[in-house]
């Protein structure tokens, strides 16, 4: 990435913006993925009043859509081009290796967070049972339905997927669909669209229940002792992943920038506000509460309802237009103090976006620690802002640390 080093951004700021944009890749991918990482940290921190004002509260989609969509775009760069260079078999092998990495990130995150919550619960400073807060009772409380089958074996084989730890398993399954998509693309791009659309339809649980055909629903069981499914159904969420993938591969053309499309996208985004969490909570629209209850299937997060998709695409289009071609409007021009500060902030956001897997895993761990800290020191405005700021610093340090290790500075050049 051109802007791995803050000084590189600062040098770019000093140059005319058009020339800078010509020399760098599209910044929007890492920029918005970096923003999503900070939002995810806020959203997963218990008792964090900032959660009430994140973008997800103003519409149907949230930072999960940003993360998955941008991951699809990044996968088109990291893996899609690999299929082009080395063929389908080796391209699939590289995807399998990434799935292996994500799997162990998932395992490590779970056990690290479990150990943390046990330590916080036993510390004597907190106000609650922190592993109970994550609904991990089945590990500690003897019960025939939880110990038979073996709970840890169920976790390691993804037959037990606790709700807080369900994003990475979803991401793994979506990645495993990539070789299928690439094989179909070699035959006909319409086959790709048909496959993605068909899989998404079969993931719409409420649709098949309404049709009296629940056996047609496809999902993955989240626990061997009950009928709960994975909260993030990968067969629904693959729609937005492969939409980002298709845009980056050039299978879907870039939408034109014109007044009509901007107006339509803005209307969709604004029309969502009364129906959003903010509309119900702050504006008191009782009709919106009823509408949401009557139309759960359209906005369902688990199966990735169609209105979430539409609202996200409209919002993404507006952000895409606002950021400019290849993100050139993200670059500050001039040499003043504000330009230098923004260049430094931009470099940090891009770095966080580049190291999204490491940052995501650390953020889920850090969020529990932040919630505990607020339990101990209170949730007045100053304390909450300070704790969130420290959490953001941990993510930034993680991103730069991961980047440093990946650069392998110990190698002789």
């Amino acid at each position: 990435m051109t802007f791995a080093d803050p000084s590189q951004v600062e040098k770019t700021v000093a140059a005319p913006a058009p020339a800078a944009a010509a020399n760098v890749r599209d910044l929007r991918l890492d920029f918005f993925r970096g923003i999503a990482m900070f939002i995810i940290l806020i959203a997963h921190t218990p008792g964090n009043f900032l959660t009430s004002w994140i973008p997800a509260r103003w519409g149907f989609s949230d930072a999960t859509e940003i993360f998955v969509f941008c991951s699809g775009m990044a996968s088109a760069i990291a893996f899609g081009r690999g299929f082009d260079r080395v063929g389908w078999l080796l391209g699939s092998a590289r995807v399998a290796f990434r799935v292996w990495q994500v799997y162990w990130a998932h395992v490590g995150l779970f056990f690290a967070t479990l150990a943390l919550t046990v330590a916080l619960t036993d510390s004597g400073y907190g106000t609650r049972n922190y592993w109970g807060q994550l609904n991990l009772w089945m590990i500690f409380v003897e019960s025939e339905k939880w110990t038979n089958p073996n709970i840890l074996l169920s976790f390691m084989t993804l037959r037990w997927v606790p709700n807080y730890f369900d994003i990475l398993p979803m991401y793994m399954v979506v990645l495993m669909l990539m070789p299928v998509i690439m094989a179909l693309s070699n035959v006909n791009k319409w086959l790709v669209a048909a496959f993605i659309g068909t899989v998404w339809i079969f993931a719409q649980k409420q649709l098949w229940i309404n049709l009296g055909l629940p056996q047609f629903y496809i999902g993955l069981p989240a626990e061997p002792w009950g009928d709960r499914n994975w909260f993030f159904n990968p067969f629904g969420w693959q729609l937005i992943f492969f939409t980002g993938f298709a845009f980056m591969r050039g299978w879907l053309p870039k939408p034109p920038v014109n007044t009509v499309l901007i107006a339509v996208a803005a209307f969709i985004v604004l029309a969502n506000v009364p129906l959003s969490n903010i509309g119900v909570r702050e504006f008191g629209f009782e009709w919106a509460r009823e509408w949401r209850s009557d139309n759960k299937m359209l906005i369902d997060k688990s199966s990735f309802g169609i209105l979430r998709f539409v609202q996200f695409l409209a919002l993404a289009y507006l952000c895409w237009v606002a950021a400019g071609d290849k993100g050139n409007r993200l670059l500050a021009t001039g040499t003043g103090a504000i330009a230098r500060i923004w260049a430094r902030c931009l470099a940090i956001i891009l770095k966080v976006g580049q190291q999204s897997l490491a940052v995501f895993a650390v953020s889920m761990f850090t969020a529990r620690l932040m919630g505990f800290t607020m339990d101990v020191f209170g949730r007045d405005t100053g304390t909450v802002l300070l704790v969130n700021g420290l959490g953001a610093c941990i993510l930034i340090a993680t991103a730069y640390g991961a980047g440093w290790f990946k650069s392998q500075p110990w190698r002789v050049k």
Side-chain angles (χ1 to χ4, degrees), residues 28 50 55 91 97 104 144 149 200 205 239 255 294 321 325 363 399:
R28 290 169 289 195
L50 294 182
F97 178 66
W104 285 110
E144 183 178 349
W200 176 82
K205 185 174 184 178
L239 173 62
D294 294 339
V321 171
D325 184 46
S363 74

Side-chain angles (χ1 to χ4, degrees), residues 33-34 36-44 63-64 67-68 71 98 102 105-106 109-110 113 163-171 232 351-368 394-396 398-399 402:
R33 191 162 54 168
M37 291 298 101
F38 291 111
I39 296 174
I40 287 172
L41 174 69
I42 292 172
H44 285 87
T64 311
F67 177 74
V68 177
S71 294
R98 183 57 170 175
V102 176
H106 168 65
L109 170 62
F110 174 79
T113 306
N163 275 339
Y164 189 73
F165 305 94
D166 44 15
I167 296 182
L168 292 182
M170 175 266 285
Y171 182 43
F232 290 104
K351 176 64 72 174
V352 171
Q354 292 161 14
Q355 307 298 334
S356 59
L357 178 58
V359 170
F360 173 80
V362 170
S363 74
M364 300 294 278
F365 178 90
T366 303
R368 311 320 296 182
I394 292 174
L395 299 197
I396 293 167
T398 299

Side-chain angles (χ1 to χ4, degrees), residues 3 17 28 70 87 98 117 123 154 189 219 221 249 251 269 300 307 320 345 395 399:
F3 288 154
R28 290 169 289 195
C70 290
R98 183 57 170 175
T117 55
S123 67
S154 296
K189 301 301 187 295
R249 289 287 292 171
W251 299 345
V269 170
D300 182 46
L307 289 188
W320 181 76
C345 291
L395 299 197

Side-chain angles (χ1 to χ4, degrees), residues 202-255:
F202 279 95
Q204 303 309 300
K205 185 174 184 178
Q206 192 58 48
L207 170 65
W208 296 109
I209 292 176
N210 292 344
L211 293 174
L213 299 168
Q215 67 273 18
F216 282 15
Y217 166 73
I218 56 173
L220 296 171
E223 53 193 29
W225 54 79
D227 57 1
R228 183 174 69 87
N229 291 303
W230 289 17
F231 179 78
F232 290 104
N233 188 336
F235 304 112
W237 279 84
Q238 54 83 31
L239 173 62
I240 192 168
F241 178 92
F242 287 116
T243 299
F245 189 91
F247 272 121
M248 192 58 73
R249 289 287 292 171
W251 299 345
L252 291 175
K254 292 181 180 179

Side-chain angles (χ1 to χ4, degrees), residues 32-116:
F32 289 112
R33 191 162 54 168
I35 293 295
M37 291 298 101
F38 291 111
I39 296 174
I40 287 172
L41 174 69
I42 292 172
H44 285 87
T45 300
N48 191 353
F49 73 73
L50 294 182
T51 304
S52 298
W53 300 100
I54 59 177
R57 302 296 177 257
W58 297 87
F60 301 136
S61 64
D62 57 29
T64 311
E65 277 85 354
I66 302 175
F67 177 74
V68 177
F69 181 78
C70 290
S71 294
M73 297 178 70
S75 294
I77 298 172
F79 305 113
R81 293 175 184 173
F83 281 93
D84 297 334
R85 290 194 305 268
V86 299
W88 185 86
L89 190 60
L90 288 179
S92 299
R94 187 177 180 192
V95 171
F97 178 66
R98 183 57 170 175
V99 172
W100 179 249
Q101 291 176 314
V102 176
Y103 171 78
W104 285 110
H106 168 65
V107 171
L109 170 62
F110 174 79
F111 283 108
T113 306
L114 177 62
L116 173 67

Side-chain angles (χ1 to χ4, degrees), residues 58 269-280 283 285 287-289:
W58 297 87
V269 170
L270 292 176
N272 271 260
V273 174
L275 299 171
S276 69
N277 180 279
I278 291 289
V280 173
F283 301 150
F285 293 144
W287 61 268
R289 189 188 306 276

